[in-house]
Amino acid sequence: SLLNQKRYLIFVISNQAGISKGIYSQNTLNEITKDMLKELNKSGAKIDGVYYCIHRDEDNCACRKPKSGLIESAIKNKKINLSNSFFIGDTIRDVQTAKAAGCKSILVLSGKEKLSHRKNWEIQPDFIFKDLYEAAKFILNHHNPI
């Protein structure tokens, strides 16, 4: 909601290979997404679009992160400067996705990545924050919306 107040566009981009692996159904993912958006809306946050890749790595699609296909889908027909945009994620794969799309990368440490593993990362993020809230505050304090 902090970013919404400053008129940033916000997209959710996620790999969800569990569908193609038969772990859960498209209907289950749709329900989870619906619940997520409902909860975000209750707190005053607005998501401008949700984009999922349901393929496995071996499918070699253009949309599975770290490829930038989902970012390209999200911004299609929108006036967005990717070099002035941020991709926030909690994995090094997300950092790779940002770099592939030409975005600034923000790694949040609220997932499985730890600073103690930094020397093993194959790519370094542009910025690192402890969580999404800290990342949003940084964006608001240091950048203007696109």
Side-chain angles (χ1 to χ4, degrees), residues 72-105:
E72 293 162 16
S73 294
I75 68 164
K76 188 175 183 179
N77 300 321
K78 294 176 179 64
K79 293 180 181 179
I80 293 178
N81 177 351
L82 285 176
S83 66
N84 198 31
S85 299
F86 294 89
F87 191 89
I88 304 171
D90 63 358
T91 67
I92 293 305
R93 183 175 274 214
D94 292 324
V95 173
Q96 293 169 323
T97 304
K99 301 288 185 181
C103 300
K104 293 178 182 81
S105 61

Side-chain angles (χ1 to χ4, degrees), residues 11-15 49-52 63 65 70-71 74 87 94 97:
F11 303 100
V12 172
I13 294 174
S14 179
N15 289 345
V50 179
Y51 298 85
Y52 294 124
C63 57
K65 295 184 299 181
L70 288 179
I71 292 174
F87 191 89
D94 292 324
T97 304

